[in-house]
Amino acid sequence: MIMSAANKWANDASPIRSVDTFEANVESVQLDHGRGIYLVSIENGSSVLIDDGRPHLIGSRTSIERVTRDNGFVFYRFVN
């Protein structure tokens, strides 16, 4: 658990290198203590998981961002 927290802090400290925006569909959600882990399908056919505290309607079309940090860590998020 401590190693996981250390990796998160290292990734948060690394500057963002690039942000790419994609159109996507919200496919499903798993709720966990008021937060949702969303399965989102991207227009190119890939699927990703996004952890978010805001509600997103299943089946809706939305924009997401792929964020790449200088250390190579990549994550996805909903566009604000």
Side-chain angles (χ1 to χ4, degrees):
M1 182 58 89
I2 293 172
M3 199 59 171
S4 175
N7 285 339
K8 180 179 180 341
W9 294 326
N11 287 330
D12 287 347
S14 180
I16 292 175
R17 178 179 1 152
S18 67
V19 177
D20 302 305
T21 304
F22 300 94
E23 291 299 312
N25 289 321
V26 178
E27 299 294 336
S28 66
V29 62
Q30 173 70 42
L31 297 177
D32 184 28
H33 302 289
R35 293 188 64 84
I37 300 173
Y38 294 88
L39 176 65
V40 179
S41 63
I42 302 173
E43 57 192 10
N44 68 5
S46 301
S47 295
V48 296
L49 295 173
I50 301 176
D51 182 7
D52 197 63
R54 299 169 294 166
H56 301 277
L57 186 62
I58 294 173
S60 65
R61 190 115 174 107
T62 187
S63 295
I64 63 171
E65 295 175 334
R66 180 180 60 212
V67 180
T68 306
R69 294 193 177 271
D70 275 344
N71 65 359
F73 183 75
V74 175
F75 67 95
Y76 291 83
R77 64 185 180 195
F78 289 101
V79 174
N80 293 332

